[in-house]
Amino acid sequence: RTCGRRRSEAARNSMKLPVLSASTLCALAFATFVPACSLQMHTAASSRTLLSRISRTPPRAHQPNPQMTLLTSTVPDKALQSPTPRGSIASISVSPDKFVLATDPATNQPRTVLDRLSRRITHSDAGHGAILLGFDDTRDVGPAGRSLFAHDLGRIIESDRILTGSRIKRWWMGPVVSKRTGDVPVESQFLLARLPSETGEDMYVAMVGLIDGAFRSTFAGNKLTDNIILRTDSGDGDVRTGRVRAGAVLAAGTGSPHDAVHRAFAAASDAMDGAFRLREDKPVPESLDFFGWCTWDAVYSAVDPDSVRKGVRTLQEGGAPPAFLIIDDGWQSVDQGEKNRLARAFEQPADASEDDKTDNPLAKMAAGLLSKLYRNVVEPAPFNSRPARFWRWLSQGPLRQNLIKFFDEQTDFSKSLVDFKANSKFEGGGKTLRSLVDDLKASGVRSVTCWHAIGGYWSGVSPVSEHMAAFEPQWRFPNPAMDLLMVEPAVAWDTASFHGVGALKPDAMPAFYNRLHAYLADSGVDGVKVDAQSGLSPFGTGLGSGAPGYVRAAVHAMEDSAAANFGRRRGGDGGDAGATPLPLTGCMCHSTENLLSFRRTPMVRAGDDFYPKDEASHHVHIATVAYNSVFLSHLANCDWDMFQSVNPAAPLHAAARAVSGGAVYVSDPPGQHDFKLLRQLVLPDGSVLRAKTTGRPTIDCLFEDVSRDGKTALKVWNVNEVNGVVAAFNVQGSEWNRRLRRFMNMPARHPISVEVSPSLVDLPSFQPGGGHEFAIHSFRSGAVRAPVRADEAVAEVSLTPGDFDIFVVAPIHTAPTPGADSRGVRWAALGLVDMMNGGGAVREAHSDTGSAVVRAAGSGRMGLWAERRPSGVELNGLRLADADVTFDEQ
């Protein structure tokens, strides 16, 4: 392994495996399902580049080098970011009686997608084999127009399963699998339906709700009619229209469901005039190929330079050096909430008192009763129910001051930004943020990212701070949309509802973000994680652009500033979104107001947080990020969030991150690490074996309820340079309860039997007719099954609740043998068998006459399957001793 050189100068290793000579070959027939033989060897440590020529550089221990160049695969991610090319387009048409039809490309017969559109629905060609739906209500609403609409799209008449991505909180969405159109939840933003076929391939229909200027459209089922409703809202009663051109796009096809989803998003981008860009149009940030650490769950907002240094150091000392770091919430200069009220930044109620005391026994008893009332009665209640209305009265009346005091003293949600510079923990007394970043990079950290909320901080930007006066922030109170209140009624009595937030007008946003990002860039910071994004919408009223227009202005201003300030650190000019990889992560951003505004954001959190102490959340987290990625993977690289290596659910989370194709990082408290687990993810130089696209559920579980049906395992597929990978998880037994609005365990949890076939990897070369047989290797048991046909189900394992396994799906090659015997010898490169995504170590595998040649990266035990014992093994041109190679005869 060589560090500190340019990519073109990096060490490249090759392994050459001569097979038996022709004189010793004999006929050998392998029966299906007979455990195959495997070959394992120790490889030298190497860099992350593809390995193409012999290098005799001896392995070295990890030595941090601040000049080390970030190394990436030479196979471009863009080739795998676009959809799987095996899907066939089904042409869409609308009949005179307003039925939406999709013509099956195999049979040339039309199938009914939607059984009857409302007469007000308009339709036009959207390109990409999709149709654009809008509406024209001008005759009904007159010139004044309306701000809120609901139009009937009919029923998805031939579907047997519908997968939706719908909001579960203001910040996040989650998956729902339903059998009836009427069961589609309110605030469903994306939809994928399966239309089964008895004679040919199933058809898949994808729908995306759009934003047309100031108007945002989503889907909701009508349980009485079993129809789907297109709901369109500006979020501002004064922003009205009678016509919307772009309400939704619909695409259909056979083969791969991901093809239909991708074409729907491509059509959506065009229909919205490029307001957002697809994932393949955004360069992959280099940090994704390296291991990272985030401060949030480690120290929360108590983060300081000492805890940052200690967290990095303890990981380095244990052999899992973090190459990227996220300094999360806790570094910014903010007020203490009550200062805004004392400065009379807003009008106080006449009976307000700053001296309310709640430390007497009766008050504590009352607080306990109120807490139980809230959790058991108010929290599960619908927005307009009597309990919810009663609590709104309590919270805005008798309990108002107590709740304000609670938020001020116990949370950060009432605090607002007062200065761009870091707080006194990081700046002052000889300390600077710059010196901390310099120290971290000198120790081997490659990239440092800082957190900030899109509004500045949780309660925005302080209107009473002299440092913020130039941006003229104003106290604004939320006006949440009715559909959001149906999802999360608590938005009506959160912190902002008591005293508002300091909000910026759109014309002040570019200068604000530029000041914030310029300070960070000048401090050596490489990028930002922008949080709390979907909380911005309720403050967009009264400005004339509607809530969606306000959010889009903020997102675009933030992205442009990030590109200008952090892009130039990487040689970019801040111009074209596709020019330079940008370390920018969107978080708490699952409203389409944000998602469909991401022109430059290359990484997006795929689901709700990792909650270390909420046992019921872990299985739900894994399922949610996998299913959300069905949709989000077409917009950005999906980040499945940090986790902690010392946690009962840590192995499950680690396995999910290994096959996610996104960032692999932890939030371990300093000194609290499970290095045995981390070494299954992280190589000694801090790099990870990242899969090449986004992990998504396999076709056999895509439309199943892997959390609650008691029988279905979640299986996630991905692909590496050479091999495929399928991970299986038993995540049954818990759920996000949409009525109670909390994670909940369910009593029945049973082992699940799992089968894996190569065709679960949704790429043409892994399908029947792709020209390959395969070897399948189990990470947990080490068992190998070979040869296996593409459509052959093997590797049956039983998974207990919370258990997992990861399977390498390795194409089998044939090494020609010299002499008269032309059959050759079959073999497959399995990868580093002690790594969770060990197949990612194999960068190239091919046959020479009499030899099997593997180019690989990493260090550890390298496993191969071969029909015959090889006559010898060479590593980097040097023959290995027999003691370094084991051959399992079985």
Side-chain angles (χ1 to χ4, degrees):
R1 180 170 62 90
T2 50
C3 299
R5 298 183 181 180
R6 296 180 181 274
R7 293 189 182 100
S8 60
E9 300 171 342
R12 299 173 180 266
N13 298 341
S14 66
M15 290 176 293
K16 194 171 185 179
L17 293 88
V19 298
L20 295 173
S21 65
S23 61
T24 59
L25 282 176
C26 60
L28 177 63
F30 254 84
T32 306
F33 304 123
V34 174
C37 51
S38 64
L39 179 105
Q40 297 180 334
M41 70 192 69
H42 287 276
T43 66
S46 67
S47 73
R48 281 284 292 165
T49 52
L50 292 190
L51 314 168
S52 60
R53 62 177 63 180
I54 294 174
S55 170
R56 295 177 180 171
T57 305
R60 299 183 296 178
H62 171 68
Q63 297 177 353
N65 186 337
Q67 303 302 316
M68 177 180 172
T69 303
L70 285 170
L71 302 172
T72 57
S73 164
T74 61
V75 176
D77 284 271
K78 187 168 182 177
L80 289 167
Q81 288 180 342
S82 45
T84 54
R86 67 186 193 89
S88 299
I89 297 175
S91 60
I92 308 292
S93 61
V94 179
S95 68
D97 52 358
K98 305 288 277 189
F99 280 67
V100 178
L101 307 174
T103 302
D104 191 317
T107 64
N108 205 33
Q109 295 297 314
R111 302 189 65 178
T112 302
V113 176
L114 294 169
D115 64 354
R116 193 178 298 274
L117 300 174
S118 165
R119 62 180 177 83
R120 302 179 184 88
I121 294 294
T122 61
H123 57 87
S124 58
D125 179 50
H128 306 278
I131 189 172
L132 177 66
L133 301 178
F135 61 84
D136 188 344
D137 270 5
T138 51
R139 290 186 178 181
D140 298 325
V141 302
R146 286 207 306 256
S147 63
L148 177 63
F149 299 86
H151 291 96
D152 201 327
L153 298 182
R155 183 162 53 103
I156 308 177
I157 192 168
E158 295 189 35
S159 70
D160 68 337
R161 290 287 194 281
I162 301 171
L163 169 67
T164 53
S166 55
R167 287 168 81 180
I168 58 173
K169 302 178 181 179
R170 80 191 82 181
W171 317 111
W172 304 110
M173 72 175 187
V176 173
V177 176
S178 55
K179 296 181 179 180
R180 300 173 64 250
T181 309
D183 291 334
V184 170
V186 69
E187 274 290 310
S188 290
Q189 304 180 125
F190 314 120
L191 182 151
L192 178 64
R194 179 178 67 188
L195 280 60
S197 172
E198 296 181 358
T199 58
E201 290 187 299
D202 293 345
M203 182 179 288
Y204 303 98
V205 177
M207 299 175 66
V208 175
L210 304 181
I211 296 174
D212 190 349
F215 288 83
R216 170 177 175 262
S217 295
T218 59
F219 308 108
N222 184 324
K223 291 183 179 295
L224 296 178
T225 64
D226 200 26
N227 288 351
I228 191 167
I229 307 300
L230 182 70
R231 298 179 62 86
T232 305
D233 188 4
S234 71
D236 187 338
D238 294 328
V239 178
R240 298 166 172 258
T241 190
R243 180 189 297 112
V244 164
R245 179 187 65 89
V249 291
L250 184 152
T254 59
S256 171
H258 305 295
D259 174 67
V261 176
H262 185 84
R263 287 188 290 105
F265 276 104
S269 179
D270 290 350
M272 292 175 57
D273 299 321
F276 72 95
R277 290 186 172 100
L278 300 179
R279 177 191 177 205
E280 65 248 32
D281 297 325
K282 304 168 187 176
V284 177
E286 295 167 320
S287 60
L288 287 185
D289 286 323
F290 289 85
F291 176 63
W293 181 61
C294 178
T295 63
W296 180 241
D297 286 317
V299 291
Y300 296 105
S301 55
V303 61
D304 61 15
D306 289 342
S307 61
V308 172
R309 290 187 175 96
K310 184 177 180 182
V312 171
R313 184 179 68 253
T314 56
L315 283 167
Q316 290 173 335
E317 291 171 350
F324 75 86
L325 167 69
I326 301 174
I327 301 176
D328 214 288
D329 188 1
W331 67 269
Q332 290 176 286
S333 295
V334 299
D335 59 25
Q336 297 305 310
E338 74 274 6
K339 290 183 179 180
N340 292 319
R341 296 195 306 283
L342 295 175
R344 294 300 189 267
F346 67 95
E347 192 69 22
Q348 283 187 286
D351 62 346
S353 171
E354 297 293 335
D355 299 321
D356 291 340
K357 301 294 183 181
T358 58
D359 56 355
N360 63 74
L362 289 178
K364 290 182 177 181
M365 182 182 299
L369 292 174
L370 281 172
S371 178
K372 290 182 179 179
L373 171 70
Y374 183 81
R375 181 168 179 81
N376 297 324
V377 179
V378 177
E379 194 171 42
F383 173 67
N384 271 328
S385 65
R386 288 182 179 179
R389 293 199 303 269
F390 175 67
W391 186 263
R392 287 203 299 275
W393 174 79
L394 277 179
S395 64
Q396 297 297 339
L399 296 180
R400 178 185 176 90
Q401 291 306 312
N402 288 324
L403 289 173
I404 288 176
K405 184 177 181 181
F406 167 79
F407 283 121
D408 283 347
E409 295 179 354
Q410 304 297 324
T411 79
D412 291 328
F413 296 133
S414 63
K415 300 175 183 179
S416 54
L417 189 70
V418 297
D419 197 352
F420 293 111
K421 290 179 61 177
N423 58 40
S424 59
K425 293 184 292 183
F426 293 86
E427 295 276 1
K431 298 177 293 185
T432 64
L433 181 61
R434 178 78 202 207
S435 63
L436 172 63
V437 173
D438 288 346
D439 288 349
L440 293 169
K441 292 187 176 181
S443 73
V445 174
R446 302 292 309 139
S447 173
V448 177
T449 294
C450 281
W451 175 101
H452 72 79
I454 196 167
Y457 201 66
W458 293 107
S459 271
V461 178
S462 173
V464 298
S465 167
E466 61 181 11
H467 299 290
M468 299 297 156
F471 308 104
E472 300 180 345
Q474 297 178 338
W475 279 112
R476 298 180 62 83
F477 285 81
N479 183 24
M482 179 55 66
D483 284 6
L484 176 57
L485 290 170
M486 294 168 67
V487 171
E488 188 177 1
V491 175
W493 53 77
D494 69 358
T495 315
S497 71
F498 299 130
H499 55 69
V501 302
L504 301 174
K505 291 184 177 180
D507 58 3
M509 292 173 177
F512 170 79
Y513 291 121
N514 184 65
R515 284 282 302 277
L516 175 59
H517 293 158
Y519 164 73
L520 292 173
D522 290 343
S523 299
V525 173
D526 299 281
V528 284
K529 169 186 172 183
V530 184
D531 212 347
Q533 294 201 31
S534 289
L536 201 59
S537 173
F539 304 96
T541 58
L543 300 173
S545 59
Y550 181 71
V551 174
R552 181 176 299 170
V555 171
H556 286 178
M558 176 272 295
E559 289 184 320
D560 291 346
S561 171
N565 287 282
F566 304 116
R568 60 182 166 84
R569 290 176 55 80
R570 285 160 181 74
D573 58 5
D576 182 17
T580 307
L582 187 61
L584 171 60
T585 300
C587 188
M588 301 177 82
C589 58
H590 281 189
S591 170
T592 46
E593 292 160 317
N594 303 93
L595 294 171
L596 300 188
S597 296
F598 287 159
R599 295 185 303 188
R600 300 177 183 269
T601 302
M603 297 176 288
V604 61
R605 275 276 304 279
D608 200 348
D609 290 5
F610 165 80
Y611 295 106
K613 298 180 181 179
D614 191 340
E615 188 268 337
S617 72
H618 296 300
H619 290 192
V620 181
H621 180 97
I622 304 299
T624 297
V625 293
Y627 280 89
N628 281 352
S629 294
V630 171
F631 304 109
L632 298 179
S633 62
H634 302 276
L635 301 174
N637 293 276
C638 292
D639 178 344
W640 289 16
D641 200 15
M642 64 195 105
F643 70 101
Q644 290 183 339
S645 66
V646 180
N647 187 283
L652 189 75
H653 283 283
R657 305 316 188 270
V659 299
S660 72
V664 177
Y665 61 121
V666 295
S667 53
D668 291 353
Q672 300 180 32
H673 316 290
D674 183 344
F675 288 109
K676 181 179 179 181
L677 178 65
L678 292 178
R679 280 191 285 271
Q680 297 172 14
L681 294 171
V682 189
L683 293 170
D685 65 352
S687 61
V688 296
L689 300 176
R690 184 176 67 89
K692 303 306 295 179
T693 185
T694 299
R696 284 162 284 181
T698 59
I699 191 65
D700 58 346
C701 71
L702 181 59
F703 294 97
E704 305 298 331
D705 189 340
V706 299
S707 297
R708 300 187 303 174
D709 70 6
K711 61 182 181 180
T712 306
L714 168 66
K715 287 183 274 188
V716 174
W717 71 274
N718 212 319
V719 66
N720 297 300
E721 301 280 4
V722 173
N723 298 332
V725 60
V726 176
F729 307 89
N730 184 343
V731 292
Q732 293 283 342
S734 57
E735 65 170 347
W736 169 261
N737 188 295
R738 288 174 177 261
R739 185 182 68 85
L740 299 178
R741 301 182 181 93
R742 68 185 72 139
F743 297 105
M744 295 188 66
N745 280 325
M746 292 175 287
R749 294 187 175 191
H750 308 288
I752 294 176
S753 182
V754 176
E755 289 184 338
V756 173
S757 66
S759 61
L760 293 178
V761 179
D762 199 359
L763 287 175
S765 58
F766 291 85
Q767 304 304 310
H772 288 289
E773 289 183 309
F774 301 87
I776 296 181
H777 172 263
S778 163
F779 169 75
R780 299 296 294 274
S781 71
V784 181
R785 306 293 289 270
V788 177
R789 300 186 307 273
D791 57 354
E792 189 175 345
V794 297
E796 182 172 321
V797 297
S798 179
L799 299 179
T800 58
D803 200 4
F804 71 93
D805 203 348
I806 303 174
F807 302 92
V808 174
V809 182
I812 290 177
H813 307 266
T814 300
T817 52
D821 192 338
S822 60
R823 292 170 298 172
V825 176
R826 291 184 294 179
W827 65 279
L830 305 175
L832 293 175
V833 295
D834 297 319
M835 301 286 287
M836 284 187 168
N837 184 31
V842 180
R843 302 308 174 81
E844 184 179 333
H846 69 271
S847 300
D848 288 342
T849 300
S851 299
V853 181
V854 178
R855 297 192 290 178
S859 60
R861 294 193 304 153
M862 175 65 67
L864 295 96
W865 171 83
E867 285 183 314
R868 303 290 182 84
R869 180 191 295 272
S871 60
V873 180
E874 295 178 6
L875 174 63
N876 298 338
L878 300 177
R879 187 181 180 93
L880 293 179
D882 291 343
D884 292 326
V885 180
T886 60
F887 188 83
D888 183 350
E889 295 290 352
Q890 296 185 4

